[in-house]
Amino acid sequence: MIALVMGVVIGIPTALILGKLLGKASEVLIAIIGVPLVTYAIALHELGLFAGLNVSMDGFSPEFIAGTETFLGLIVALAYVEFRTRKGLRIDDFIQISFITLPYISLGVALASQFWSGFLAIGIVLIGIVVVLSLKNPLRGLNVKPCPQEIGDCMTDEDSLMGALIRDTVLIGGRTLKEFPRARELVECMKRAGKPSSLRKATGLLVSLLPLLAVLLPPGDLTVIVGLTTAYLSTLIGAAFVTKGHPTPCPEVAREYREFLRKRKRKIDVAV
């Protein structure tokens, strides 16, 4: 279990440090990527030591042990994320995390499955659990409060800029409420915004699972490079499928809001 221990020892502190510097979304991303990836790399090195040898460890093959360590690394990362995000997420972090989670979980599952294919089925079950929990309580982990009465029916925080409509709940960043002159109109527009169709949501979900295809690659550097690239692109494409493609009820307000964000030098793509 050296690989797993090293993955946790390296991945978790790195995530914690970067989280302090860059925010909670970065902490979550580094944890989900770092722990299983470091575990995978070390397990792969250990596996090379047994190349060509017919050995077993307590009745299990080295490949199965390597896959188990990598998969457990993913589980540890998710447990850490659950602990760190429980009732403590700003709206900006919540929205970003909602898009990055599944692609990088899928990558972790693919890494473990390269050693033993059975982890692919187990990983799909794990992904299903994550999706079901998200659907059951889509606002889970958010640290928000009701908007001021003069703004309207929405939820806000202290200093976020992003906004989203989650089912029937409008989320709007606290900094936007304070600094955007047409905040009240923005909230009303978000309430009237069209919701993505079930087909678009399903397509976005499938796109988020594309990193699972990394299991088809040979173990090694190619898997890491292609897997990380696919996960990154899946995040962008999946977000576009969910947030784009429906008419904007208030194009003028939406345009001013995007300009408001641009002036604050925040690289955020928001669909209003």
Side-chain angles (χ1 to χ4, degrees), residues 31 70 127 134 137 188 224:
T70 304
I127 291 171
S134 176
N137 184 5
E188 291 301 319
V224 174

Side-chain angles (χ1 to χ4, degrees), residues 200-242:
R200 294 187 71 85
K201 290 180 180 178
T203 304
L205 175 60
L206 290 176
V207 169
S208 297
L209 302 181
L210 285 178
L212 287 173
L213 296 177
V215 71
L216 301 175
L217 299 173
D221 294 342
L222 180 63
T223 290
V224 174
I225 295 171
V226 174
L228 288 174
T229 302
T230 304
Y232 176 72
L233 293 176
S234 295
T235 300
L236 298 181
I237 298 171
F241 265 108
V242 174

Side-chain angles (χ1 to χ4, degrees), residues 127-195:
I127 291 171
I129 293 173
V130 172
V131 172
V132 169
L133 289 176
S134 176
L135 292 174
K136 185 177 180 180
N137 184 5
L139 302 181
R140 189 163 173 261
L142 260 176
N143 183 16
V144 291
K145 58 186 178 181
C147 293
Q149 190 172 7
E150 64 271 16
I151 294 297
D153 184 16
C154 60
M155 303 297 288
T156 188
D157 59 9
E158 295 297 330
D159 61 352
S160 291
L161 287 171
M162 298 177 74
L165 177 64
I166 308 295
R167 291 189 180 172
D168 296 322
T169 302
V170 174
L171 302 176
I172 189 75
R175 188 176 171 191
T176 294
L177 291 187
K178 297 171 186 174
E179 301 179 13
F180 185 56
R182 304 181 70 176
R184 179 180 175 83
E185 293 176 74
L186 177 63
V187 170
E188 291 301 319
C189 289
M190 292 177 69
K191 290 179 182 178
R192 291 157 42 200
K195 298 180 181 179

